[in-house]
Amino acid sequence: MNGVNIHRLASSDDVHFDAMLDLFAQAFDDPESYSSARPTPEYRQALLARCDVVALVALAGQNVVGALVAYELLKFEQERSEFYIYDLAVAENWRRCGVATTLIDDLRTIAKKNGGWVVYVQADYGDEPAVALYTKLGTREDVMHFDLPLD
């Protein structure tokens, strides 16, 4: 990954935060979710100041070429936590260059420093590149996922 550096977003990272959302909108083909109602500066600053929110970007110069957002979930059964990768994307021309693996490895380091015992992620059926990446890095579990609406 020559020329690519991983950076954890801080509350003052306006430009990188917007570039991260732009990357997610493009990679997931979901501009409605990632571009239509962006958080206010106050919300973004508060979010990125939280210790249990991890937002990492892969930078080639000042360009965001990869991004990962994860949340730390504290457990009840033991004094430990799990880290859930919510979003992970790499710009198309940077795929298969080790960017996603490096982002995940940096998250693993953060998780270990914070008492985490596992990092986990979901993949959609049919998303073969994601399934291949996660299979290479960990153990697959087949589970069912349910969205429970709030209305």
Side-chain angles (χ1 to χ4, degrees):
M1 277 209 348
N2 288 339
V4 175
N5 297 304
I6 305 301
H7 172 69
R8 184 171 182 174
L9 296 186
S11 59
S12 61
D13 282 318
D14 300 344
V15 174
H16 292 138
F17 185 84
D18 284 338
M20 176 184 69
L21 292 181
D22 290 343
L23 175 63
F24 289 150
Q26 181 179 17
F28 304 141
D29 192 25
D30 190 3
E32 177 66 25
S33 293
Y34 292 94
S35 300
S36 66
R38 293 225 167 142
T40 63
E42 296 79 17
Y43 181 90
R44 175 189 42 77
Q45 289 168 3
L47 180 69
L48 293 176
R50 294 178 57 110
C51 296
D52 59 346
V53 174
V54 179
L56 302 174
V57 292
L59 298 171
Q62 287 301 308
N63 296 320
V64 173
V65 299
L68 177 152
V69 172
Y71 300 95
E72 180 180 9
L73 306 170
L74 299 176
K75 303 300 290 180
F76 285 93
E77 72 277 4
Q78 292 185 30
E79 291 183 23
R80 62 185 185 182
S81 60
E82 299 175 345
F83 283 73
Y84 173 60
I85 298 174
Y86 184 76
D87 280 330
L88 172 62
V90 176
E92 192 168 348
N93 57 334
W94 283 90
R95 293 179 186 158
R96 307 206 50 83
C97 296
V99 175
T101 300
T102 302
L103 285 163
I104 292 170
D105 286 345
D106 275 36
L107 175 62
R108 285 173 159 166
T109 299
I110 292 166
K112 191 171 185 176
K113 286 180 184 175
N114 288 299
W117 74 285
V118 71
V119 171
Y120 70 101
V121 63
Q122 294 173 271
D124 294 326
Y125 288 103
D127 189 351
E128 296 310 317
V131 171
L133 171 66
Y134 304 143
T135 299
K136 176 182 83 171
L137 297 175
T139 304
R140 179 176 172 162
E141 294 183 28
D142 288 319
V143 299
M144 298 176 78
H145 172 99
F146 299 90
D147 288 334
L148 306 176
L150 301 180
D151 325 77

